[in-house]
Amino acid sequence: MQTVSENACFGGTQGVYSHKSTACSCDMTFGLFLPEEAKDGPVPLLWYLSGLTCTHENAMTKAGAQAWAADHSIALVFPDTSPRGEGVADHEDYDLGQGAGFYVNATQKPWVPHFRMWDYIADELPALLTEKFAIDGDRQAITGHSMGGHGALTLAMNLPGRFRSVSAFSPICNPTGADWGRKQLAAYLGEDESLWERHDASIMMRKTGFDGPVLIDTGSSDQFIELLRPETLAEAIATRRQPATLRLQPGYDHSYFFVSSFIEDHVAFHAQALWS
Amino acid sequence: MQTVSENACFGGTQGVYSHKSTACSCDMTFGLFLPEEAKDGPVPLLWYLSGLTCTHENAMTKAGAQAWAADHSIALVFPDTSPRGEGVADHEDYDLGQGAGFYVNATQKPWVPHFRMWDYIADELPALLTEKFAIDGDRQAITGHSMGGHGALTLAMNLPGRFRSVSAFSPICNPTGADWGRKQLAAYLGEDESLWERHDASIMMRKTGFDGPVLIDTGSSDQFIELLRPETLAEAIATRRQPATLRLQPGYDHSYFFVSSFIEDHVAFHAQALWS
């Protein structure tokens, strides 16, 4: 593992690190904020999964999460959204290939062997973080934005016991039923739609739900809301009687101005679960 | 004036606007955050002047100022750092020409007629803002980062009565005595160094000071600190007995991670002056 940069930030350190990923068969880069308290021992960890086109850097510089993570003595990890580099497959569309890993393990050409973001986020990166940094692996929570909200929700429901709480900003809620999803799931996983189901938050909510608190914010003026299908997840949550808070925030759109406006709430929400 | 974008943000609106600038003889773009309270009438305005290489966008997306401006019912303006576009002179160095206007009115070729950032910030943009938006021109304060900290301090001291308070992050404190300054002042203003003096915060502090509170933060690990020369301004402030708070923040560098870590303090500092 190599240190790309480390900057003092809200009393702690905002680092950027790269490492050879076994899951993705390439070098991967992530951002990690450690609060001051990490000097004295392991702290809880909040995952932030980013959306289409993003790298590790967007949320790290634009979401404003470090202020609140420092307040609550919580670490933040900002993984990349796909494998990258020469020799890694890509596509001319912004929503497929590099920057669009969709948090699945691809089984189809040309996306094997690199596009294994599920294994990277579920197994490889958490093992690295708890080995190399003062992170308490028993206290993890997860959030994300757009495609990253999809990743957060599906990882949380597929890995019971891993995350104490899950939240999302403008998540892709029903990828098996929308253009943000069908295209990518077909490309990465193939045409057998039964294999897509565990990667659909609305289907997973109907099937298994989540054993912990859920918080989801979506802007009422989100320009991509037809692709996100929040109504599908809302119905599934209500049908299941899943403890959750769903908010349609009046006038907000899909941008980081929306995320930063509500990140304080999300970090406080996770802090309550992580420190209880 | 044209609206480039408007996004809901912390209950208010983060807008980006462009207009034909008379001062700079080109189109100029700025960011403006208006808090929710601006719907009911004029609100105070805090200027944020950015540093070398920045556009209107860097601080608008990375500094995290809107959270606190919303709390204090204050507008924020993020001007560009130079004229731009085809036909506007430039230089291959990052610290001269476009992105490096240095908040002066150039008198030398090839920088005339476009490089008149002093007039743009001191006269043209404030007139536009108070005409077009719910901004109270009698309640203005100013801050900035690096070259923008230099701009904030020199504008505040040269325009007595305009700004109720001034602050800066890692400002260039003594441009007549450092490579970040001598190069640009010579290029824009010519070799007569007596014309440089009003653009040097340390000299202006010795000569006139500022009739209001001053707050300056610099990182003790700032990688450019030899170019900033905070010691020169510190001495001038102490010699003058200028009411001011100077802080060397342990371990912080020159990045936006530093700015965002302390922006809450700066907005609160200005709010006290703006609302009293």
Side-chain angles (χ1 to χ4, degrees):
Chain A
M1 195 184 72
Q2 289 189 307
T3 300
V4 177
S5 61
E6 289 184 331
N7 299 84
C9 184
F10 289 97
T13 302
Q14 179 60 61
V16 176
Y17 309 93
S18 69
H19 67 112
K20 287 195 190 305
S21 164
T22 305
C24 297
S25 304
C26 66
D27 285 343
M28 292 292 283
T29 301
F30 63 91
L32 179 70
F33 172 74
L34 286 175
E36 190 171 17
E37 292 76 7
K39 291 174 186 163
D40 303 322
V43 296
L45 175 65
L46 175 59
W47 292 76
Y48 185 108
L49 304 187
S50 289
L52 290 166
T53 76
C54 290
T55 69
H56 67 283
E57 194 176 7
N58 302 64
M60 185 181 90
T61 57
K62 292 184 172 183
Q66 294 93 343
W68 314 111
D71 269 6
H72 292 287
S73 309
I74 289 171
L76 299 168
V77 62
F78 304 98
D80 203 344
T81 58
S82 79
R84 294 183 194 272
E86 283 185 45
V88 174
D90 202 1
H91 193 279
E92 61 183 9
D93 294 351
Y94 76 96
D95 59 359
L96 195 63
Q98 295 187 32
F102 241 77
Y103 306 102
V104 301
N105 290 333
T107 57
Q108 306 296 306
K109 289 182 183 175
W111 310 111
V112 284
H114 297 294
F115 282 71
R116 297 183 63 83
M117 287 301 291
W118 182 276
D119 281 358
Y120 180 66
I121 302 292
D123 298 325
E124 184 177 14
L125 188 52
L128 182 75
L129 293 175
T130 51
E131 180 197 337
K132 299 283 188 186
F133 300 95
I135 299 290
D136 180 355
D138 291 332
R139 293 176 189 263
Q140 297 186 57
I142 192 164
T143 187
H145 175 226
S146 193
M147 176 182 74
H150 144 76
L153 289 163
T154 53
L155 281 151
M157 287 188 275
N158 275 283
L159 300 170
R162 171 72 60 88
F163 301 105
R164 297 196 178 192
S165 46
V166 60
S167 79
F169 298 88
S170 2
I172 297 174
C173 296
N174 182 214
T176 65
D179 285 346
W180 270 358
R182 295 192 62 83
K183 171 183 178 176
Q184 294 84 357
L185 295 172
Y188 296 140
L189 303 180
E191 297 299 332
D192 178 356
E193 296 194 19
S194 70
L195 300 175
W196 301 4
E197 295 189 353
R198 62 192 285 260
H199 298 292
D200 185 300
S202 296
I203 293 173
M204 285 300 297
M205 182 56 72
R206 276 183 227 123
K207 278 193 180 172
T208 72
F210 178 70
D211 183 20
V214 177
L215 170 63
I216 298 172
D217 274 319
T218 304
S220 72
S221 300
D222 192 308
Q223 62 270 45
F224 302 112
I225 202 160
E226 299 294 331
L227 297 165
L228 304 177
R229 295 176 59 83
E231 64 278 9
T232 311
L233 183 58
E235 184 192 35
I237 285 173
T239 301
R240 187 174 191 81
R241 323 302 194 224
Q242 166 74 45
T245 301
L246 299 177
R247 305 187 297 193
L248 272 289
Q249 298 286 6
Y252 286 88
D253 58 31
H254 202 70
S255 69
Y256 266 96
F257 295 114
F258 168 56
V259 173
S260 63
S261 295
F262 296 98
I263 193 79
E264 178 183 6
D265 287 0
H266 284 243
V267 176
F269 162 80
H270 291 294
Q272 194 167 22
L274 288 167
W275 283 115
S276 65
Chain B
M1 195 183 73
Q2 289 188 306
T3 301
V4 177
S5 62
E6 288 184 332
N7 299 84
C9 184
F10 288 97
T13 302
Q14 178 60 61
V16 176
Y17 308 93
S18 70
H19 66 112
K20 286 194 190 306
S21 164
T22 306
C24 297
S25 304
C26 66
D27 285 341
M28 293 291 282
T29 301
F30 63 90
L32 178 70
F33 171 74
L34 286 175
E36 190 171 14
E37 292 76 8
K39 291 174 188 164
D40 303 323
V43 295
L45 176 65
L46 175 58
W47 292 76
Y48 185 106
L49 303 186
S50 289
L52 291 165
T53 76
C54 290
T55 68
H56 67 282
E57 194 175 5
N58 302 64
M60 185 180 89
T61 57
K62 292 183 174 184
Q66 293 93 341
W68 314 111
D71 269 7
H72 292 289
S73 308
I74 289 172
L76 299 167
V77 62
F78 304 98
D80 204 344
T81 60
S82 79
R84 294 183 193 271
E86 283 185 46
V88 175
D90 202 3
H91 193 279
E92 62 183 9
D93 294 351
Y94 76 96
D95 60 358
L96 195 63
Q98 296 186 32
F102 241 77
Y103 306 102
V104 301
N105 290 333
T107 57
Q108 307 296 305
K109 290 182 181 175
W111 311 111
V112 283
H114 297 292
F115 281 72
R116 297 183 62 83
M117 286 301 292
W118 182 276
D119 281 358
Y120 179 67
I121 303 291
D123 299 325
E124 184 178 14
L125 189 52
L128 181 74
L129 294 175
T130 51
E131 181 197 337
K132 301 280 190 186
F133 300 95
I135 300 289
D136 179 356
D138 291 332
R139 293 175 188 265
Q140 296 186 58
I142 192 164
T143 187
H145 175 227
S146 195
M147 176 182 75
H150 144 76
L153 290 162
T154 54
L155 280 151
M157 288 188 276
N158 276 284
L159 299 171
R162 170 73 61 89
F163 301 105
R164 297 197 178 191
S165 46
V166 60
S167 79
F169 299 87
S170 0
I172 298 174
C173 296
N174 182 215
T176 67
D179 286 344
W180 271 357
R182 294 191 63 81
K183 170 183 179 176
Q184 294 84 358
L185 295 172
Y188 296 140
L189 303 180
E191 298 298 333
D192 178 357
E193 296 194 18
S194 70
L195 300 175
W196 301 4
E197 296 189 352
R198 61 192 285 262
H199 298 291
D200 185 300
S202 296
I203 293 173
M204 284 300 297
M205 183 55 72
R206 277 183 226 122
K207 279 194 177 170
T208 72
F210 178 69
D211 183 20
V214 177
L215 171 63
I216 297 171
D217 274 318
T218 304
S220 71
S221 299
D222 192 308
Q223 61 270 46
F224 301 112
I225 201 160
E226 300 293 332
L227 297 164
L228 304 178
R229 294 176 59 82
E231 63 279 9
T232 311
L233 182 58
E235 185 193 35
I237 284 173
T239 301
R240 184 171 194 84
R241 322 303 193 223
Q242 166 75 45
T245 300
L246 299 176
R247 305 188 296 194
L248 272 289
Q249 299 286 6
Y252 287 88
D253 57 31
H254 202 70
S255 69
Y256 265 95
F257 296 114
F258 168 57
V259 174
S260 63
S261 295
F262 296 98
I263 193 78
E264 179 182 6
D265 287 2
H266 284 243
V267 176
F269 162 80
H270 291 293
Q272 195 165 23
L274 288 168
W275 283 116
S276 67

